[in-house]
């Protein structure tokens, strides 16, 4: 008899955004005349920039000719993209990365969820709270998170990020093996200074821990003093794996491309104390389970780094950050406590006194036809907050703020 992996049965009934979709669809059925405006799901709305489209057309034409057709590509990714990443994303900030440390993927969500499987199931994990659900759910699937009760996992160390601590997580008061950090943060939209990030790198060095660092929103940083990469911190190459994505940077949510950096210095131990480099283990895993990102997607990503591509992508990012400013200014004027939205495309909004996250979600939906994301869906410390995203169309953003004002 085939036995199921019962750790999957411990997961909450459905994924957060699936719950939101069900509630929104039910509202649409009962209110067919109302146009719903979604500021909750973090999907982009602006089209791919011209430089990317041009590169995709060219790559498609190449695939139509026998002389330039490509089948399976290298699992790590094509050299042309990995070299562009090193030059523009790292060398430009004084960070040296070897090409063998760059792994092209089909978006950061895949690798942030998959990377944990090369580490033992009984490693302890710590997560900032609130947190992107994939980090915990993927660990729960392997049995590392324990049991889910009253909105918390029994074997997870939660690191609260609230207004009371300025959304800066405190270091654990005990040893944690694996630490998930996401900055600029999803969902709170907040950032860590170089000094704060240095504390985490030092903690990992002192405790022989590994930091899984999600930098998917680094392109939205406006403050020049905020680090874009954890490798800007001395010693991080020994303890950190970094994930990046083109989904929100360049509108690739439907194209699928990103990358993971696994420095050769990052190691983990066997039970008998032998140190093993994670770079080689991850490479072995990818060669077994992943056939590489499509050639067309990688050529599209390469185009982001051309002068035209960089200018055009910046224009799109500026568009979304203008949306964030509009929402931040309006909500603040209406008396809400608003966080984020200055170095990230997310706004973290305190609900009115005594209103829980799902209750306020339904008040917005049924009151003005606007969709947000309930903060409690991101973890216990998210209760009493909602998340807005800046990825909507400008007209929808303005209309949503007008409805809330009225």
């Amino acid at each position: 008899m085939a036995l199921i992996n019962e750790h999957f049965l411990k997961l909450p009934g459905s994924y957060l955004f699936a719950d939101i979709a069900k509630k929104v669809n039910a509202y649409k059925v009962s209110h067919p005349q109302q146009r719903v405006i979604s500021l909750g799901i973090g999907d982009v709305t602006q089209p791919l920039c011209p430089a990317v489209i041009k590169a995709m057309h060219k790559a498609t034409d190449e695939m139509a000719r026998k002389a330039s057709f490509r089948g399976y590509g290298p699992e790590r990714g094509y050299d042309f993209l990995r070299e562009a990443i090193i030059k523009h994303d790292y060398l430009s900030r004084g960070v040296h990365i070897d090409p063998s440390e760059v792994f092209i993927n089909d978006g950061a969500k895949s690798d942030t969820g998959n990377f944990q499987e090369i580490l033992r199931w009984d490693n302890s994990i710590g997560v900032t709270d609130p947190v992107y659900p994939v980090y915990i759910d993927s660990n729960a699937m392997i049995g590392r998170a324990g049991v889910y009760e009253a909105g918390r996992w029994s074997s997870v160390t939660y690191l609260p990020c609230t207004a009371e601590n300025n959304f800066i997580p405190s270091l654990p008061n005990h040893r944690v093996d694996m630490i998930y950090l996401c900055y600029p943060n999803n969902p709170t939209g907040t950032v860590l200074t170089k000094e704060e990030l240095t504390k985490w790198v030092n903690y990992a060095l002192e405790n022989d821990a590994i930091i899984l660092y999600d930098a998917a929103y680094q392109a939205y940083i406006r403050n020049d003093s905020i680090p874009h990469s954890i490798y800007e911190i001395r010693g991080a190459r020994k303890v950190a794996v970094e994930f990046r994505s083109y989904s929100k940077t360049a509108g690739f949510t439907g194209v699928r491309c990103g990358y993971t950096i696994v420095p050769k210095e990052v190691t983990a131990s066997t039970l008998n104390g032998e140190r093993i480099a994670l770079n080689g283990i991850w490479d072995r895993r990818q060669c077994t389970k992943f056939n590489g990102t499509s050639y067309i997607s990688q050529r599209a990503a390469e185009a982001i780094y051309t002068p035209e591509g960089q200018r055009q992508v910046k224009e799109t990012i500026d568009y979304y950050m203008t949306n964030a400013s509009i929402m931040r200014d309006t909500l603040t004027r209406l008396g809400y406590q608003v966080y984020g939205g200055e170095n990230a495309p997310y706004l973290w909004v305190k609900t009115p006194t005594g209103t829980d996250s799902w209750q306020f979600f339904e008040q917005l939906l049924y009151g003005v036809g606007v969709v947000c994301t309930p903060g409690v869906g991101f973890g216990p410390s998210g209760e009493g907050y909602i998340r807005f995203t800046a990825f909507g169309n400008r007209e929808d953003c303005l209309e949503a703020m007008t409805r809330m004002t009225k």
Side-chain angles (χ1 to χ4, degrees):
M1 156 174 36
L3 299 177
I4 196 167
N5 177 357
E6 295 188 16
H7 296 305
F8 275 75
L9 304 181
K10 300 175 185 176
L11 293 168
S14 60
Y15 189 52
L16 169 63
F17 297 107
D19 287 338
I20 292 173
K22 289 178 183 177
K23 290 179 179 291
V24 172
N25 289 335
Y27 173 81
K28 289 179 177 179
V29 170
S30 59
H31 298 76
Q33 304 304 317
Q34 174 71 292
R35 186 174 74 88
V36 175
I37 298 175
S38 178
L39 300 178
I41 307 300
D43 197 2
V44 295
T45 56
Q46 299 308 293
L48 297 170
C49 70
V52 167
I53 293 295
K54 181 180 178 182
M56 293 180 77
H57 281 303
K58 181 180 179 182
T60 302
D61 289 340
E62 290 179 32
M63 297 294 279
R65 295 190 295 268
K66 184 176 180 61
S68 53
F69 172 79
R70 288 172 172 81
Y72 291 125
E75 288 85 0
R76 274 197 180 106
Y78 286 99
D79 287 343
F80 60 78
L81 178 54
R82 295 157 73 202
E83 290 168 1
I85 287 168
I86 291 170
K87 178 180 178 181
H88 294 281
D89 287 346
Y90 290 99
L91 281 179
S92 63
R93 301 194 66 82
V95 176
H96 295 273
I97 299 291
D98 188 84
S100 64
E101 298 171 328
V102 183
F103 295 82
I104 309 300
N105 59 36
D106 59 355
K109 183 177 184 179
S110 296
D111 280 8
T112 53
N114 291 331
F115 200 88
Q116 53 80 27
E117 72 179 44
I118 70 171
L119 298 165
R120 270 182 63 95
W121 68 271
D122 51 356
N123 280 303
S124 57
I125 65 170
V127 298
T128 53
D129 173 33
V131 66
Y132 182 44
V134 171
Y135 307 152
I136 293 184
D137 287 358
S138 58
N139 279 280
M141 291 171 180
I142 200 173
R144 195 178 284 125
V147 179
Y148 187 71
E149 295 178 331
R152 302 175 69 92
W153 290 91
S154 61
S155 298
V156 172
T157 296
Y158 289 89
L159 308 167
C161 298
T162 64
E164 288 69 32
N165 63 8
N166 294 315
F167 299 96
I168 299 173
S170 297
L171 297 173
N173 57 11
H174 59 278
R175 186 178 178 282
V176 176
D177 299 311
M178 299 162 57
I179 302 164
Y180 286 84
L181 297 178
C182 173
Y183 287 97
N185 186 256
N186 175 18
T188 66
T190 55
V191 293
L192 287 185
T193 64
K194 189 171 185 178
E195 291 71 24
E196 290 295 338
L197 190 53
T198 298
K199 293 178 183 178
W200 284 99
V201 171
N202 289 341
Y203 172 90
L205 289 167
E206 293 165 6
N207 290 275
D208 198 12
I210 291 174
I211 296 174
L212 301 170
Y213 193 77
D214 188 348
Y217 304 98
Q218 59 80 30
Y220 288 83
I221 294 173
R222 304 300 225 207
N223 186 334
D224 290 338
S225 67
I226 302 298
H228 286 243
S229 168
I230 195 169
Y231 302 124
E232 295 177 45
I233 309 301
R234 183 184 298 274
R237 285 184 55 89
K238 295 181 179 179
V239 294
V241 173
E242 183 166 286
F243 308 92
R244 292 204 187 184
S245 172
Y246 299 114
S247 288
K248 310 302 167 53
T249 301
F252 274 42
T253 54
V255 176
R256 310 309 305 150
C257 192
Y259 62 89
T260 297
I261 304 295
V262 188
K264 292 179 180 178
E265 293 97 316
V266 179
T267 63
S269 179
T270 64
L271 287 177
N272 62 12
E274 182 185 1
R275 303 300 299 196
I276 305 296
L278 296 191
N279 181 283
I281 298 295
W282 181 245
D283 186 40
R284 182 66 174 86
R285 187 267 178 202
Q286 291 297 81
C287 290
T288 301
K289 292 190 172 185
F290 186 57
N291 272 334
T293 307
S294 80
Y295 173 72
I296 296 172
S297 294
Q298 291 191 61
R299 280 298 187 192
E302 179 194 27
I304 296 168
Y305 297 107
T306 64
E308 306 97 304
Q310 289 181 310
R311 175 178 54 79
Q312 292 163 4
V313 166
K314 183 179 182 303
E315 289 173 357
T316 301
I317 290 174
D318 288 344
Y319 177 94
Y320 291 134
M321 290 307 290
T322 298
N323 283 350
S325 295
I326 291 170
M327 290 190 289
R328 185 180 174 88
D329 292 346
T330 302
L331 293 168
T332 300
R333 189 172 67 251
L334 292 176
Y336 291 97
Q337 291 178 268
V338 184
Y339 307 93
E342 295 176 311
N343 290 290
Y346 294 116
L347 291 86
W348 193 237
V349 183
K350 183 75 174 143
T351 63
T353 303
T355 307
D356 68 42
S357 297
W358 277 109
Q359 183 182 356
F360 194 60
F361 166 88
E362 293 188 350
Q363 288 178 5
L364 280 181
L365 178 59
Y366 283 86
V368 293
V370 172
V371 178
C372 64
T373 305
V376 71
F378 296 102
S381 294
E383 181 58 271
Y385 293 89
I386 59 168
R387 188 193 74 173
F388 282 124
T389 80
F391 292 119
N393 291 307
R394 179 67 43 77
E395 298 78 13
D396 287 346
C397 177
L398 291 168
E399 174 63 18
M401 295 301 100
T402 298
R403 291 184 190 180
M404 291 187 67
T405 299
K406 289 182 178 180

